[in-house]
Amino acid sequence: MSMSAPAGATGVITVDLGALKSNWQTLAALVGRAECAAVVKADAYGLGADHVIPALKAAGCRTFFVATAEEARQARLLAPSAVIYVLDGLLPDSAPALADIGARPVLSTLDDVRAWAELCRARGRPLAAGLHIDSGLNRLGLPEAEVEAVAADADLLAAFELTLVMSHLACADDPDAAMNTAQHRAFERLRARLPTAPASLSASDGLMLGKPYHFDLVRPGYALYGGQAFQGGSTPVVPVVSLAVRVLQVHDVPLGETVGYSATWRAVQPSRIATIAAGYADGIPRHLSADSASEGGEVKIGGAICPVVGRVSMDLITVDITDAPQPVARGDWAELIAAELPIERVAKRAGTIGYEILTRLGRRFHRVYVE
Ligand SMILES: *Cc1c(COP(=O)(O)O)cnc(C)c1O
């Protein structure tokens, strides 16, 4: 494997920006007349907003969603003329900073709405903002009573420019969940009380539920990065991320000896073990540890997918390469995320979801961007 990483890099995350762009274009085509935005919160799901935002912009994306004011500031520098929505809405006193950079808060409480309206009055113009209404997730968004309070207050509504009414689905990954239709109905009912504005209900999985869920704008994040969370079929996206780490040592472990902290794995045959340069400090879940009784993670190494053995430690993982068809040597690359080892598979083994694997990949890994 050839890798344009600096000498001494212990691990390399390769981000395929060409795949990222084509994923956005595929989803944009899938939703037809609805606008396809991009969710780039948490440093573009850990992949590096400073590369991901320009690539998506080049692909044609005009609207970005971030979580925080700091993320909005970074996004604004990268995309000076894009529409930027801030999903966390307003914190007390954060409105002026958002207004200064032309970012649009997604207002999610009546207090948020009042604070934004007040700022608009002070500045003498109706600044754009989105409104997050709660359709049943009970996480963030105006409950019905607050939607009614906003709808009944003409002065409040006149103070700012309502550019998006959105809500968020709880069970979009499951196309059979009754909650999807219930939330769709609640969203329709609540937004009808408000002045007409572009509407958005769906993220990566919701857009896979079909046209009724597209409304005017969809907000995919995970799928753009190659994620396959939707359970009702495969999302038409390709992998974007791979992760390779260095082999530091290869050694033979005699029958009966143990490997790693707490001596949880014991060799039942003479074994060959590769130690690779990644650990829980790099976001590789400790739940990928394997003892003699239970399986853990997998690593592509020596031409095969080999099992993790023993504990995942802070900086190191041990892998049983006894049955690998090709020789493995110090300095070789071992793959933790690859075509055969998609993030969903890694996540399942660790008892988590691909989102968590992606967003926790550590800062020690070098990131390489290819087209
Ligand atoms: C994170 C988030 C998204 C993107 O979700 P994905 O499942 O990654 O597509 C969309 N909308 C809201 C409100 C979010 O919090």
Side-chain angles (χ1 to χ4, degrees), residues 126-147:
L127 300 166
L131 206 56
H132 191 161
I133 59 182
D134 184 15
S135 56
L137 183 60
N138 284 308
R139 188 181 69 171
L140 204 58
L142 284 85
E144 179 157 3
E146 294 197 352
V147 174

Side-chain angles (χ1 to χ4, degrees), residues 11-246:
V12 175
I13 298 170
T14 303
V15 180
D16 186 339
L17 295 175
L20 171 76
K21 288 187 203 169
S22 92
N23 287 346
W24 183 86
Q25 281 158 347
T26 302
L27 297 183
L30 183 73
V31 299
R33 249 200 277 277
E35 180 182 354
C36 188
V39 179
V40 294
K41 61 193 180 190
D43 198 26
Y45 290 50
L47 300 185
D50 48 351
H51 289 82
V52 165
I53 290 175
L56 289 170
K57 206 173 58 155
C61 183
R62 290 167 287 118
T63 301
F64 295 90
F65 286 81
V66 296
T68 69
E70 179 53 32
E71 290 171 1
R73 199 189 55 78
Q74 184 192 12
R76 175 54 77 220
L77 294 174
L78 295 160
S81 58
V83 171
I84 297 169
Y85 283 104
V86 183
L87 289 167
D88 280 359
L90 297 179
L91 295 169
D93 301 329
S94 73
L98 293 187
D100 288 346
I101 60 168
R104 303 178 181 182
V106 181
L107 307 169
S108 51
T109 67
L110 186 53
D111 287 337
D112 265 11
V113 179
R114 288 183 177 138
W116 192 249
E118 196 175 313
L119 178 91
C120 291
R121 289 185 193 113
R123 297 204 173 184
R125 59 200 180 95
L127 300 166
L131 206 56
H132 191 161
I133 59 182
D134 184 15
S135 56
L137 183 60
N138 284 308
R139 188 181 69 171
L140 204 58
L142 284 85
E144 179 157 3
E146 294 197 352
V147 174
E148 275 166 9
V150 172
D153 192 334
D155 286 347
L156 193 60
L157 282 165
F160 69 101
E161 187 191 358
L162 182 61
T163 52
L164 186 72
V165 174
M166 61 163 267
S167 192
H168 197 49
L169 295 169
C171 305
D173 59 331
D174 176 6
D176 299 325
M179 189 134 180
N180 293 326
T181 43
Q183 283 194 270
H184 189 283
R185 226 177 299 120
F187 182 57
E188 288 281 37
R189 190 169 56 79
L190 293 172
R191 81 185 182 97
R193 312 229 176 125
L194 296 162
T196 307
S200 176
L201 181 60
S202 291
S204 297
D205 295 340
L207 70 85
M208 290 296 290
L209 294 171
K211 201 168 174 358
Y213 286 82
H214 296 166
F215 291 92
D216 301 300
L217 179 145
V218 295
R219 319 181 299 270
Y222 190 55
L224 295 175
Y225 311 112
Q228 294 281 352
F230 187 62
Q231 300 302 308
S234 75
T235 304
V237 293
V238 295
V240 170
V241 185
S242 59
L243 168 61
V245 305
R246 290 279 200 160

